[in-house]
Structure formats: C-alpha cells, structure tokens
Amino acid sequence: MKKGQQTKERIINVARTLFATKGFDMTRTNEIASACNVSEATIYKYFDSKKDLLLATITPNEKEESEDGTSHLSTDDLVENHVTTMIKKILENKEQFSILFRETQFDQDISKQYVDQIFKPNARHFEIQKRIDSGEIQYISDIILFNVGIISFTLALSTHYEIHQQKKEPYFTSERIKSIAQLLVYGIHGKQNHT
C-alpha cells in the first residue's frame, strides 16, 4: 500500500473510533489530525468535507457470505441463522454500526446508508421475506424493522457489557451469540414453544 493510501486509511480509522465514541458533531477535524500526526490540511487533501470523511468511516467490512440455498432450512433454523449472522457482523463492525445507528437520525445520506446496510439483499433475506409473505413466518412482519431491532439490541448489550462489567474475557463467545440469537428469535419461553 502506498504512503498516501496508508495515511488516508489511518485518518479513516482514527475518525471512525472518534465518531463512534464521541459522535460526529463533538469530534473536531483538528482532533482527528492530531491523533493521526498529520495537519488538518492533510485531512482535506483526501476528503472534501468532514461529512465526506464520516461517509468513508461507516461502511462495514464485509466478509464473503455463502450464497448457498436456504430453502432447505426449517423456519426456526433460517431465522436463527439470520440473527446469528447479523450479530456477528455487528460485533465485527461495532464502530461502523454505532456511527450509523447514532447519526442516521440527523442526516439523510447516513440514513440511506443505514438502510442499505441492514437490508443488503442475499439469499437468506429473500427466503425470510418469501416465508413472511406466505404466512409461514408470522412473528416477523417487517425484515428491516427486525434487523434494526437486532442492531439496537446487540449494540446496547455490547455497550452495557463494556461499561459495567470491566472484564477482560470476551462476552460474545460463540455459545453466548447462539443464546442471544435464540432469545431474540424464540423469546423467554424457548424454542420448544414455537413451531
């Protein structure tokens, strides 16, 4: 990677962390520049505006998702798989989702990107929507609203753990993610009460 590209990436990464922790309005470009050991003019060499920099910070890193068919999965397994995949994506991109979640209410461009991120069509989304439309899934009426709920729940749980628990071991183990997914899908009563 060339030096200019490295500088740009460093600016994006530092800005992302500051925007996620302090908010867009409370973060000044001179603060970002200082944390990157560059001049404020250097930021504007790579970005036309502070908002342009904000937009560069919010795209989550995407892992290639398998496009294997999901029609063979039971409804419970399909929805649980969706929730588990969403939780992992949110945790892997916590800063991006924190910024998207916080700033969407203030900016139409951010709001559009937020909706694009929570409903990036894939085989799983199409299969869930098909089952909603057919009446097979009755406990989800709107896939976008369901995804917003997953995002807000995951961010709130993660933030609470970071603030209040102060433990070194990771909270979101594979077993705990599965347990959280089951709670979101099946509620307090558990899987055996839902068919």
Side-chain angles (χ1 to χ4, degrees):
M1 187 183 292
K2 293 184 177 178
K3 186 178 179 190
Q5 187 61 32
Q6 288 176 339
T7 301
K8 182 177 181 180
E9 289 299 317
R10 189 168 72 248
I11 292 167
I12 290 171
N13 291 332
V14 167
R16 180 183 296 125
T17 298
L18 289 170
F19 291 154
T21 55
K22 296 181 68 175
F24 176 71
D25 287 336
M26 297 300 292
T27 303
R28 297 182 325 273
T29 52
N30 65 350
E31 182 180 8
I32 297 166
S34 176
C36 292
N37 293 317
V38 299
S39 69
E40 202 169 354
T42 301
I43 291 176
Y44 291 106
K45 175 182 172 185
Y46 296 103
F47 303 97
D48 293 336
S49 64
K50 184 179 168 189
K51 181 179 174 183
D52 189 33
L53 174 56
L54 173 67
L55 292 171
T57 69
I58 59 177
T59 302
N61 299 317
E62 296 286 346
K63 287 186 177 175
E64 285 296 316
E65 271 191 53
S66 170
E67 284 297 319
D68 294 340
T70 54
S71 59
H72 69 283
L73 294 174
S74 71
T75 295
D76 285 347
D77 289 343
L78 172 68
V79 176
E80 188 177 326
N81 174 274
H82 172 68
V83 173
T84 300
T85 302
M86 283 284 297
I87 291 171
K88 288 177 181 176
K89 178 180 177 180
I90 295 159
L91 294 173
E92 289 166 0
N93 297 278
K94 185 172 182 273
E95 289 180 332
Q96 289 94 324
F97 277 98
S98 294
I99 295 166
L100 283 164
F101 194 71
R102 177 187 294 139
E103 302 299 332
T104 189
Q105 60 188 319
F106 304 115
D107 189 297
Q108 202 168 24
D109 292 334
I110 304 293
S111 182
K112 181 187 178 323
Q113 186 139 348
Y114 183 63
V115 171
D116 290 347
Q117 288 303 323
I118 64 173
F119 193 64
K120 193 170 269 190
N122 60 39
R124 206 174 50 253
H125 282 112
F126 290 127
E127 186 62 28
I128 290 172
Q129 190 61 56
K130 183 175 123 186
R131 294 186 195 191
I132 291 170
D133 294 343
S134 73
E136 187 177 338
I137 297 177
Q138 297 181 0
Y139 53 91
I140 301 172
S141 60
D142 183 319
I143 187 72
I144 294 178
L145 188 59
F146 185 59
N147 287 350
V148 169
I150 296 167
I151 293 167
S152 60
F153 181 85
T154 303
L155 289 175
L157 190 59
S158 175
T159 301
H160 173 79
Y161 181 76
E162 288 170 8
I163 291 171
H164 298 289
Q165 299 302 317
Q166 305 284 322
K167 295 181 181 173
K168 292 186 180 180
E169 69 274 0
Y171 178 77
F172 290 97
T173 61
S174 295
E175 297 81 25
R176 191 158 280 144
I177 289 172
K178 183 174 176 63
S179 174
I180 292 166
Q182 289 176 347
L183 173 65
L184 286 172
V185 176
Y186 311 115
I188 293 170
H189 294 294
K191 187 172 183 175
Q192 68 274 12
N193 293 326
H194 295 268
T195 56

